[in-house]
């Protein structure tokens, strides 16, 4: 059990002539929750909740989202405060270790990060055997689970030092894996991490320097990348995080659990949306479609087209991360000398039209975190198929912190939901010759 919980009056359920009481409690921000753990035992009935829209699967001290007001807090700090004042690694430390690092902690965290930045030389063979067109998310997921065979697993009763090593190993190596998968896809030699560079600068250097081309990290680009990673650091029980907790609940190791999260993130309704947004914008430009055409086709159900980067399961107002990302994207493009980037202009025109349209207003559809980030990544020179990988790099501290929290929570159990069977009830096997 985590943090602060206040017990409230219980709720009553009347069913089949019986009245059953269920405890109600609230968390530290006042969300009221009915504890239905005794439901099936007491009544014999199940709840039916596709998409788990009404289901709290855990209590958590990590992240708070108010979807109506557009509020996002990590351990009580607002995303605006963290984005303005912290580097990505500080936010990662906050999520995983529960506090912002002081100078001593920050120094030792950075040193560990450097210590673990290389990947085992033998792992390089894996990259070499992937086809050039391999999607970086496929490579990333395979590489992260492979880490479990090269490095010791984190067991649940680990000593602090072992936890520090395992989580920093994962946080540090993900950059190297990401950059190597890019180098492989463009047929260039791998660039090793450097002790001289900080987290994001190191990643940019591994991506863009080469033996024949000097590369100097632009501090504005480095800052922007830090900010985008901060914006993705955690987002409570989203699809991939729930997957990480679910896989972890079976006792699977951290690497395996994170790998499952990476695969969940890949889908276009989740982290894959940042890639889908750019593909949508490029398609609109190349087809010469008008803003009106796009909005109208996104509204027509039969068209199966959605305005990618719009809408959110929890936010029914502007996603606070999208607000920050939009400003950062505009500033970055200005700095890089592309203030009139056609994709940015199109994205802003689509946003303006959508926000005025009754369809989007009634359904409370606003830009989400994925709407502007891809435009910024593209301006940094990052290829479209790596956008979701950057989301994964950003979300990693959240997945780690959620996995640790889940494994330390004495109320958690093996995740094993129920179903309502609706199939045939009494078939008999016929000899093969008599079957239809
Ligand atoms: N464009 C057009 N219509 C939409 C959109 C959209 N982007 N999003 C939702 N709708 C409509 C949807 O058709 C449905 O209409 P109706 O009530 O008439 O059936 C209504 O709005 C509710 O949508 P839903 O799919 O039932 O809502 P949800 O909470 O299950 O879905 C969502 C949330 C993010 C999957 C959805 O808004 C979507 O598909 N958005 C586009 C993909 C996207 O940008 N995903 C990134 C999410 S944020 C980052 C992350 O967490 O990964």
């Amino acid at each position: 059990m985590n943090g602060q919980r206040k017990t409230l009056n219980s709720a009553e359920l009347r069913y089949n002539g019986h009245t059953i009481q269920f405890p109600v409690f609230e968390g530290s921000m006042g969300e009221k929750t009915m504890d239905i753990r005794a439901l099936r035992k007491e009544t014999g009935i199940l709840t039916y909740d596709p998409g788990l829209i009404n289901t709290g699967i855990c209590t958590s001290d990590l992240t708070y989202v108010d979807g109506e007001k557009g509020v996002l807090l990590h351990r009580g700090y607002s995303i605006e405060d963290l984005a303005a004042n912290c580097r990505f690694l500080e936010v990662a430390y906050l999520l995983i270790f529960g506090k912002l690092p002081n100078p001593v902690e920050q120094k030792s965290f950075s040193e560990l990060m450097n210590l673990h930045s290389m990947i085992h030389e033998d792992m390089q063979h894996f990259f070499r055997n992937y086809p050039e067109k391999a999607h970086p998310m496929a490579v990333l997921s395979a590489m992260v689970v492979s880490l479990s065979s090269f490095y010791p697993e984190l067991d649940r009763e680990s000593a602090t030092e072992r936890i520090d090593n395992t989580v920093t190993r994962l946080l540090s190596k993900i950059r190297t894996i990401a950059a190597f998968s890019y180098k492989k896809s463009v047929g260039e030699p791998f660039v090793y991490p450097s002790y001289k560079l900080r987290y994001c600068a190191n990643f940019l250097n591994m991506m863009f320097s080469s033996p024949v081309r000097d590369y100097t990290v632009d501090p504005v680009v480095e800052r922007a990348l830090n900010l985008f990673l901060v914006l993705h650091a955690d987002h409570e029980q989203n699809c991939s995080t729930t997957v990480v907790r679910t896989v972890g609940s079976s006792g699977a190791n951290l690497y395996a659990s994170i790998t499952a999260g990476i695969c969940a993130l890949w889908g276009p309704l989740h982290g894959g949306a940042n890639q889908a947004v750019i593909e949508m914008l490029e398609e609109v430009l190349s087809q010469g479609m008008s803003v009106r055409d796009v909005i109208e086709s996104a509204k027509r159900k039969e068209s199966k087209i959605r305005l990618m980067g719009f809408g959110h399961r929890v936010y029914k107002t502007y996603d606070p991360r999208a607000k920050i990302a939009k400003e950062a994207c505009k500033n970055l493009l200005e700095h890089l000398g592309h203030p009139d980037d056609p994709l940015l202009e199109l994205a802003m025109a689509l946003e303006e039209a959508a926000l005025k349209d009754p369809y989007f207003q009634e359904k409370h559809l606003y830009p989400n975190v994925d709407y502007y980030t891809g435009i910024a990544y593209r301006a940094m020179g990052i290829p479209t198929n790596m956008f979701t990988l950057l989301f994964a790099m950003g979300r990693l501290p959240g997945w780690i912190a959620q996995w640790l929290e889940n494994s330390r929570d004495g109320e958690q159990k093996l995740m094993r939901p129920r179903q309502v069977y609706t199939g045939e009830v009494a078939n008999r096997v016929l000899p093969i010759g008599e079957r239809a």
Side-chain angles (χ1 to χ4, degrees):
M1 179 178 125
N2 299 297
Q4 307 158 36
R5 246 189 232 196
K6 193 162 125 208
T7 306
L8 305 173
N9 292 338
S10 53
E12 265 181 22
L13 173 73
R14 275 197 292 280
Y15 179 68
N16 258 354
H18 298 289
T19 302
I20 305 115
Q21 309 264 350
F22 294 100
V24 174
F25 67 92
E26 65 178 16
S28 50
M29 297 295 274
E31 306 107 303
K32 298 190 176 24
T33 307
M34 184 163 77
D35 180 345
I36 58 160
R37 279 177 290 178
L39 179 72
R40 189 161 177 277
K41 203 163 145 212
E42 295 281 333
T43 64
I45 60 174
L46 293 175
T47 55
Y48 178 60
D49 190 18
L52 303 178
I53 290 174
N54 306 288
T55 301
I57 60 158
C58 58
T59 59
S60 178
D61 296 348
L62 298 172
T63 292
Y64 173 73
V65 178
D66 182 331
E68 266 66 44
K69 297 200 184 108
V71 172
L72 170 60
L73 310 177
H74 295 314
R75 296 204 183 266
Y77 297 93
S78 76
I79 190 64
E80 291 79 8
D81 196 4
L82 294 171
N85 297 305
C86 294
R87 286 177 170 268
F88 173 61
L89 279 192
E90 290 172 86
V91 178
Y93 193 97
L94 171 71
L95 285 164
I96 296 167
F97 300 106
K99 70 185 281 282
L100 283 169
N102 62 30
V104 177
E105 289 160 339
Q106 180 157 351
K107 187 163 175 285
S108 84
F109 196 46
S110 296
E111 277 165 10
L112 270 179
M113 211 54 75
N114 274 332
L115 188 71
H116 293 305
S117 57
M118 302 270 282
I119 55 172
H120 197 291
E121 282 291 294
D122 288 348
M123 284 187 77
Q124 288 193 18
H125 300 306
F126 299 169
F127 288 98
R128 297 192 200 288
N129 290 319
Y130 275 101
E132 246 149 52
K133 292 219 159 28
H135 196 287
M137 289 296 276
V139 180
L140 180 72
S141 55
M143 289 295 164
V144 170
V145 80
S146 303
L147 288 174
S148 63
S149 51
F150 285 87
Y151 301 97
E153 290 169 10
L154 175 64
D155 70 54
R156 271 134 221 279
E157 308 306 323
S158 286
T160 313
E161 194 187 330
R162 189 122 179 260
I163 294 178
D164 290 359
N165 279 332
T166 309
V167 302
T168 45
R169 186 175 284 137
L170 201 43
L171 275 171
S172 186
K173 289 186 197 313
I174 196 169
R175 294 170 301 175
T176 317
I177 294 173
F180 279 21
S181 70
Y182 169 67
K183 286 298 195 191
K184 157 73 195 180
S185 74
V186 291
E188 287 186 9
F190 301 136
V191 175
Y192 287 105
S194 161
Y195 269 56
K196 294 189 199 116
L197 296 171
R198 304 184 75 147
Y199 192 87
C200 289
N202 226 327
F203 171 68
L204 290 167
N205 188 58
M206 284 190 277
M207 288 279 293
F208 298 123
S209 70
S210 93
V212 293
R213 191 180 56 232
D214 277 343
Y215 174 77
T216 313
V217 178
D218 178 338
V220 177
V221 173
E222 183 193 353
R223 230 183 356 263
L225 182 57
N226 252 298
L227 175 88
F228 290 125
L229 296 185
V230 166
L231 295 183
H232 289 90
D234 190 42
H235 210 243
E236 53 120 301
Q237 301 317 309
N238 54 81
C239 176
S240 55
T241 302
T242 303
V243 165
V244 170
R245 280 187 179 253
T246 302
V247 175
S249 81
S250 75
N253 66 60
L254 180 67
Y255 303 111
S257 309
I258 300 281
T259 300
I262 292 169
C263 294
L265 185 76
W266 194 356
L269 296 188
H270 192 8
N274 58 11
Q275 173 172 343
V277 170
I278 294 296
E279 288 166 352
M280 172 188 79
L281 296 174
E282 282 173 342
E283 165 99 3
V284 170
L285 282 183
S286 73
Q287 302 280 319
M289 286 170 83
S290 69
V291 165
R292 191 52 25 222
D293 288 343
V294 183
I295 297 292
E296 290 308 319
S297 60
K299 284 159 56 177
R300 267 198 320 275
K301 250 198 174 19
E302 330 74 75
S303 77
K304 301 256 186 276
I305 294 171
R306 286 191 166 194
L307 188 56
M308 298 312 284
F310 256 71
H312 197 274
R313 172 63 59 77
V314 182
Y315 291 121
K316 298 304 162 203
T317 182
Y318 216 111
D319 180 336
R321 302 167 301 172
K323 244 184 234 168
I324 302 170
K326 181 178 178 182
E327 276 322 294
C329 176
K330 286 200 301 196
N331 293 340
L332 179 72
L333 266 71
E334 181 110 31
H335 168 77
L336 294 173
H338 316 296
D340 307 324
D341 179 86
L343 290 194
L344 177 63
E345 288 191 341
L346 174 59
M348 292 200 298
L350 282 170
E351 177 192 334
E352 197 186 331
L355 295 185
K356 282 188 193 142
D357 191 294
Y359 172 95
F360 290 85
Q361 289 173 346
E362 279 154 25
K363 295 184 191 298
H364 306 290
L365 301 171
Y366 294 84
N368 59 51
V369 69
D370 291 319
Y371 194 62
Y372 286 104
T373 46
I375 299 174
Y377 295 149
R378 185 171 162 272
M380 290 176 188
I382 293 168
T384 314
N385 68 357
M386 278 197 70
F387 293 175
T388 311
L389 198 150
L390 284 177
F391 193 149
M393 273 171 64
R395 184 54 52 85
L396 185 58
W399 288 333
I400 294 171
Q402 300 263 357
W403 186 92
L404 287 168
E405 188 176 66
N406 207 68
S407 52
R408 291 165 179 161
D409 181 346
E411 287 190 349
Q412 284 301 325
K413 289 177 165 296
L414 170 71
M415 207 75 83
R416 202 314 187 175
R418 309 294 291 230
Q419 62 160 30
V420 183
Y421 178 68
T422 54
E424 301 282 343
V425 287
N427 275 335
R428 262 188 51 245
V429 178
L430 293 175
I432 192 159
E434 293 174 28
R435 294 178 207 161

